[in-house]
Amino acid sequence: IEAAPGSDAAFVAGGGLQTLASGTRPESAAPAGGRLRLEAAAIDHGAVLELPSGSVALQARSGDLQLRSGAVVAVSGARTVLDGQSGVLAGGQAQLVATAGPLRAEAGSRLEALDGASLALQAGQGLTLQGLLAGDARSSLALDSGQA
């Protein structure tokens, strides 16, 4: 799942929301600079969300926020070339919130913040991280949980 440069998309569901992997990933890098928000009573995330120099938010208002094996939420700076000079645009932001329920990342899931990106995880009823949590020295990670 990608967001076009400069886009600001929101998907809000009254009940549960499930994302599924398509089985194939694009060969080219994800476009830079989009914003995507997924909000529902509960979220079952199994797809790949990559937003270089963008923003992604997943919010489960009353139930679980579950990241399945194979699920990815990745934010980073975007590599770019301007007038023959290469550089990295500012890092992106990811926020995963389970307002009243648990946040669980299964083994085989991946949460990633690179190149000055930030990743914030918040859970009202516990945080379980069994997947890969990746970052670098320029990025930040914030955890907030009733029970970790």
Side-chain angles (χ1 to χ4, degrees), residues 2-9 33-36:
E2 298 175 350
S7 66
D8 189 356
R35 293 179 53 172
L36 178 63

Side-chain angles (χ1 to χ4, degrees), residues 67-129:
L67 278 70
R68 299 291 178 184
S69 179
V72 175
V73 176
V75 289
S76 64
R79 307 220 181 302
T80 187
V81 176
L82 181 63
D83 291 333
Q85 300 292 320
S86 62
V88 178
L89 298 174
Q93 301 173 358
Q95 183 177 29
L96 284 69
V97 177
T99 303
L103 191 157
R104 295 186 189 101
E106 292 181 356
S109 63
R110 188 175 91 229
L111 296 168
E112 185 177 286
L114 301 171
D115 300 322
S118 65
L119 174 62
L121 308 176
Q122 180 181 352
Q125 293 295 317
L127 177 61
T128 304
L129 298 174

Side-chain angles (χ1 to χ4, degrees), residues 51-63:
L51 283 101
S53 295
S55 172
V56 61
L58 280 70
Q59 181 177 8
R61 293 184 305 271
S62 57

